[in-house]
C-alpha cells in the first residue's frame, strides 16, 4: 500500500555502497577508470565552436575547471535545429559515447547522440562570455558569476580548504565546536560589533545581543574541558573601511589549546604543520593551479614554502625591528612610504610585506613568524614574557606571508592571576570578577 | 641570527608525518598500539577513590568519554601531600607507566610516578560532581558543563556529525559553500528575522540587513552553476516560543541539487543514503552509545533503521491521512489530543510521532518519508504535481522519525514559469521580476 519508488531497487547496490543514486558529475565521469557504454552529462554551455563537419561545445556542470568537450557530428553536413539553437549559457542534457579525444586540450570527449535542452539562453542578454570579466562587472551579476572559471575555482577551493582544515584539526585531537554567533561577549576593542533588533508587526525591540567578532572567549572556556578545540565559523565586524583587508562578514578558523608543554613554539608548530599539510594536499589541484597562475606564483615557490623539512623563519619583533632599521640605513630599495618603526611601534603593512619578502627561509620570500611583540601593542590577556626588561614583551606571534602580510595571529593566554591583574591595571581596565584556572577569583 | 626553537629538530619527524608536536591526548594514548616507556597525561580530575594501599583517580582531558584511570601507590602506607591536595576538578600533569589494568572497568591504567598540579580546586565551590546534574543546574554553570559526560559526549558527537556529513556530501559531488549570514533575503514567512544595527560612539544606524533564516535562496542560485551544493551554517529565527523545537540560533545542513533525473525520489535517496551512511559510521562510537542509552534506544533499533538494504517507508500525505483516520475510527490507543486531520489540514506533532511510531519499515517504528502534501500547506515555490485533481499537491517530503517527529523537509522547486506565476497569484503574492532557468523573465 505504500508508494515504492521504482528506481529504489536499482539503486540498492549504490545505496549500499553508501553513495547516492545521482547521475555522476563531469568530474566523476572523467575520473572514473571504467567507461560505460552510455554517458549522460548535464551542464551549461560555456563556449561553442562551429565547424563544417562538427560542432564542438564546452559544457560544464561546475564540478571541474575545464568541463567536458562535447562533439556533435554533422552527418552529410546537416546541422540539426537543436544544435543551431544552442548558445553560451544554454542548459542541456547530453547523452553519448565517451571516447579518447583525438584533439588536443582534453583526454576524453563526448560523442553526442542525443540532446535535451532544458533552458535556451538569449546570447544578447546573457552576461557571461568566454572572455575574462572584471570582478566589478561580475559583482553586478552575482547569481551567474560562479559560472566563470575564477569565481568557480575560488569557491571550490574554499570548500576543500574548509574540509581539509577540519580533517587536520580533528586528526590532531581537536574537538570541532560551534560557539554561538549571537553573544553578549565582545573581543578586543568595542564599538565594532553589530547589535540585533526585531521590528515584527510594528513592535520594535532591541536586544543586548551582538554578532560575534571572534569565538575566542567561548573557545577558551571550552578548552578548559576539551584541551583542544577549534571552529570554522562566521565572524562579523561593523567595519566602515572599504579595503581588501576589511570585511563585514567572514569565516575564520580559530583554535585554542590547553596544557602546552613548550609554550608559544608549540602553537607555531601546530599552525605550521596544519598549513603545510592542508595546502600541500591542494598543491596539485587544478583549481589551485589556475588561481596560483592568476596570482603569478610558481609551483616551485609553493613547494618550497610547504616543504616539511624547511622550517619557516621564526624571528622576534625586536630582531625584525633591527633588520628593518638596517635596511632603512642601507639606503637600498624598496623605500618605505612610512619611516621604519622604532621599538614599541606597530609595523605598517609595507613593513610586514618587506619582512615576508626578505626574511623567509634562507633569506628568500616566504612565511615568517614574528614573535614576542611589545606588551602595549597587544591585548591585555596575552602572557607576559619573563625577559629583560621584565614585562616588556608578550608571548605572541603574527604569521606574515608574501604579498598578503598578516595571515594568522596567536598568543599564549595569561593564566597567572597577578600578571593578569597587573595587565588590567596597565591597560586602564576595571577588574571584573575573574575565573582563572580552576579557581573563581573575585578581586 | 634568527630564533630557532630548540624542539623544532626533534619535531621534524612528526611534522613531516603531517601531525603537530603536541603531546598525545588520552584518546590517542589509549588507541596507540605501542606503549612508550613514559606516558604523560594532562587533564582534570573527575573522581577520586582513596584506599589504604593506593589512590585511584579518574582523569579526563575531554578527548574520550571515560578518560584514564591513574593509580598512585602509597609506599609504606604514606600518602604524599600532593596527592592529598588533589580533589575533583584539579588540573594535573601525570607522568608514569601505562600498564594493563588488573582492575575491571578499563583495559589500561597509568601507574603514576610524577604529578604536577596546575590548578587546585576548592571542592566546596566546584559545582560539577560525579553524580548526574540536571540540565537546568548545568545551565547556571555554562563554562564547566562540558566537563560532564552528557554535554561532552553531545558536543563531541556534534563535531563528528558535521565532519561526516561534510565528507559524505563532498564525496557525492556536492560543492561545500558558505552563503552570507547577513542578507536582505527572507525565506518563507516574514517577521521572524533579526535585523542588524550599530550604535558605536553614540551614533545609531539601522541597516536593511537581516540574519539569514535559511540559505535556500543563495543555494538555489549557486546550484545554477555547481549543480550540487550544500552548506552547514548557522540560521537565526526571532522566535518567541520557549519549546524544545524552537531556537533563536541553530546550525543547519542545507543542500540543493540541479538536473535530477527522477525528481523527488532522487532527493529522498540522497537524504536516506547520507543519513544511513553518516549515522552508520557513528553507531559504534562510545559517545553515541552513551547518548543512545540515555535516550532508551537499543543498538538493534539503530542497526535496523540504518540498514542499507531495508528502505525507509515512503508514503504520500493522502495515504497517511487515510491511515490516521482508520486509526481514529478503530478506537485503539493512543488517543490523539487533537482530532485526526482531514485532507488539506496540517499534521499536529502527535500525528507525526504516530506515523513514525507505526509506519516505519515492516510496520515497525522507524523513519518515514511523507510526500506530496496539499499545495496550500507548503510554500509557493514548490513544484506542482500533475496529479488528479491537477495542482492539488506539490512534490515535497517531510522526513518523520520516532520520538522527534519532523527531522528534514525538502521539495522539488518549481521551474515552470506559468506554474510559478499561478502559485504567486494563488498565494496572493505580488509578482517580482523573476529569473527562471536561463532566462530573465519580467512579467
Amino acid at each position: 500500500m505504500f508508494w515504492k519508488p521504482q528506481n529504489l531497487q536499482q539503486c540498492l547496490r549504490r545505496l549500499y555502497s553508501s553513495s547516492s543514486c545521482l547521475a555522476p558529475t563531469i568530474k566523476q565521469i572523467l575520473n572514473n577508470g571504467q567507461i560505460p557504454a552510455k554517458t549522460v552529462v548535464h551542464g551549461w554551455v560555456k563556449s561553442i565552436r562551429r565547424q563544417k563537419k562538427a560542432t564542438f561545445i564546452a559544457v560544464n556542470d561546475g564540478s571541474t575547471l575545464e568541463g567536458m568537450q562535447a562533439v556533435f557530428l554533422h552527418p552529410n553536413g546537416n546541422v540539426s535545429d537543436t544544435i543551431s539553437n544552442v548558445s553560451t549559457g544554454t542548459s542541456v542534457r547530453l547523452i553519448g559515447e565517451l571516447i579518447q579525444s583525438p584533439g588536443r586540450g582534453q583526454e576524453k570527449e563526448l560523442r553526442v547522440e542525443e540532446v535535451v535542452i532544458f533552458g535556451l539562453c538569449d546570447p544578447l542578454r546573457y552576461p557571461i562570455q568566454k572572455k575574462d570579466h572584471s570582478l566589478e562587472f561580475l559583482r553586478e551579476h552575482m547569481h551567474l558569476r560562479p559560472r566563470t572559471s575564477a569565481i568557480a575555482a575560488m569557491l571550490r577551493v574554499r570548500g576543500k580548504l574548509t574540509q581539509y582544515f577540519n580533517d587536520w584539526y580533528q586528526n590532531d585531537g581537536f574537538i570541532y565546536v560551534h560557539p554561538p554567533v549571537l553573544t553578549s561577549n565582545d573581543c578586543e576593542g568595542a564599538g565594532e560589533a553589530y547589535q540585533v533588533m526585531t521590528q515584527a508587526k510594528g513592535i520594535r525591540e532591541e536586544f543586548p545581543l551582538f554578532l560575534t567578532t571572534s569565538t575566542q572567549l567561548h573557545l577558551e572556556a571550552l578548552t578548559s574541558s576539551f584541551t583542544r578545540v577549534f571552529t570554522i565559523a562566521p565572524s562579523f565586524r561593523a567595519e566602515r573601511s572599504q579595503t581588501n583587508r576589511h570585511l563585514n562578514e567572514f569565516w575564520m578558523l580559530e583554535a585554542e589549546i590547553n596544557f602546552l608543554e613548550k609554550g608559544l613554539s608549540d602553537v607555531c608548530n601546530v599552525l605550521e604543520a596544519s598549513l603545510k599539510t592542508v595546502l600541500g594536499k591542494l598543491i596539485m589541484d587544478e583549481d589551485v593551479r589556475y588561481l596560483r597562475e592568476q596570482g603569478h606564483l610558481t609551483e616551485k615557490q609553493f613547494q618550497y614554502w610547504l616543504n616539511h623539512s624547511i622550517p619557516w623563519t621564526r624571528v622576534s619583533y625586536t630582531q625584525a625591528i633591527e633588520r628593518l632599521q638596517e635596511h632603512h640605513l642601507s639606503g637600498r630599495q624598496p623605500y618605505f612610504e612610512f619611516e621604519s618603526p622604532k621599538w614599541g611601534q606597530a609595523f605598517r603593512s609595507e613593513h610586514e610585506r618587506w619582512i615576508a619578502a626578505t626574511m623567509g627561509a634562507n633569506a628568500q620570500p616566504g612565511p615568517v613568524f614574528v614573535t614576542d611583540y611589545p606588551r602595549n601593542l597587544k591585548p591585555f590577556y596575552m602572557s607576559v614574557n619573563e625577559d629583560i626588561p621584565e614585562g616588556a614583551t608578550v608571548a605572541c606571534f603574527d604569521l606574515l606571508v608574501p604579498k598578503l602580510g598578516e595571515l594568522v595571529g596567536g598568543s599564549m593566554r595569561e593564566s597567572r592571576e597577578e600578571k593578569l591583574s597587573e595587565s588590567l591595571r596597565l591597560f586602564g581596565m576595571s577588574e571584573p570578577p575573574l575565573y582563572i584556572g580552576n579557581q573563581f577569583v573575585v578581586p
Side-chain angles (χ1 to χ4, degrees), chain A residues 17 113 151 186 195 216 240 277 290 332 376 389 404:
Chain A
S17 71
E113 289 152 18
I151 301 283
D186 193 7
Q195 194 175 342
Q216 181 183 330
R240 278 156 209 286
T277 308
Y290 176 85
R332 286 197 303 271
N376 64 299
L404 282 179

Side-chain angles (χ1 to χ4, degrees), chain A residues 187-188 214 216-217 219-220 223 253-260 262-271 369-375 377-385 393-399 406 408-416 420 423 427:
Chain A
C187 185
E188 307 184 27
S214 159
Q216 181 183 330
L217 292 181
L219 292 184
E220 285 182 16
T223 201
L253 190 157
E254 294 181 280
E256 293 284 334
I257 314 171
N258 211 329
F259 301 123
L260 288 172
K262 287 151 196 155
L264 192 67
S265 74
D266 269 342
V267 184
C268 294
N269 290 343
V270 167
L271 180 60
F369 287 102
V370 180
T371 67
D372 304 292
Y373 282 70
R375 192 173 187 175
L377 293 180
K378 292 288 176 182
F380 74 94
Y381 54 73
M382 293 189 176
S383 184
V384 174
N385 285 324
T393 64
V394 285
C396 67
F397 73 87
D398 281 358
L399 176 63
E406 184 188 345
V408 189
S411 79
M412 298 294 288
R413 313 310 188 194
E414 186 59 82
S415 62
R416 294 162 297 184
L420 198 48
S423 287
F427 282 76

Side-chain angles (χ1 to χ4, degrees), chain A residues 82-95:
Chain A
T82 314
I83 305 307
S84 307
N85 285 332
V86 167
S87 64
T88 306
T90 303
S91 65
V92 290
R93 173 184 292 155
L94 307 176
I95 305 167

Side-chain angles (χ1 to χ4, degrees), chain A residues 102-252:
Chain A
R104 281 186 225 166
Q106 62 283 319
E107 210 181 303
K108 292 173 189 164
E109 65 183 28
L110 188 73
R111 193 64 60 87
V112 182
E113 289 152 18
E114 202 186 324
V115 189
V116 179
I117 292 182
F118 295 117
L120 286 171
C121 189
D122 180 349
L124 296 175
R125 300 172 72 195
Y126 184 66
I128 309 296
Q129 300 303 323
K130 206 190 166 184
K131 68 180 174 103
D132 283 346
H133 296 288
S134 73
L135 292 177
E136 288 70 24
F137 173 83
L138 292 174
R139 209 166 281 136
E140 302 298 314
H141 303 281
M142 297 272 282
H143 61 302
L144 290 172
R145 66 179 181 172
R147 290 200 189 164
T148 63
S149 296
I151 301 283
M154 190 271 291
L155 287 173
R156 279 190 301 262
V157 169
R158 183 182 169 126
K160 283 177 235 174
L161 263 180
T162 311
Q163 182 72 344
Y164 293 167
F165 275 117
N166 279 342
D167 284 340
W168 192 91
Y169 279 90
Q170 296 212 39
N171 286 342
D172 214 51
F174 286 75
I175 310 291
Y176 180 14
V177 293
H178 301 91
V181 173
L182 294 174
T183 175
S184 50
N185 280 341
D186 193 7
C187 185
E188 307 184 27
E192 291 181 6
Y194 285 111
Q195 194 175 342
V196 301
M197 56 178 279
T198 57
Q199 37 190 358
K201 293 166 196 155
I203 301 165
R204 191 193 161 77
E205 263 189 289
E206 285 172 23
F207 303 96
L209 276 178
F210 300 87
L211 299 189
T212 184
T213 57
S214 159
T215 60
Q216 181 183 330
L217 292 181
H218 285 102
L219 292 184
E220 285 182 16
L222 286 163
T223 201
S224 284
S225 294
F226 288 124
T227 306
R228 300 176 199 169
V229 291
F230 80 107
T231 192
I232 301 178
S235 283
F236 304 85
R237 309 265 165 102
E239 298 277 4
R240 278 156 209 286
S241 311
Q242 298 222 1
T243 77
N244 62 0
R245 295 172 62 82
H246 291 87
L247 282 171
N248 293 92
E249 173 178 347
F250 56 96
W251 286 64
M252 178 158 62

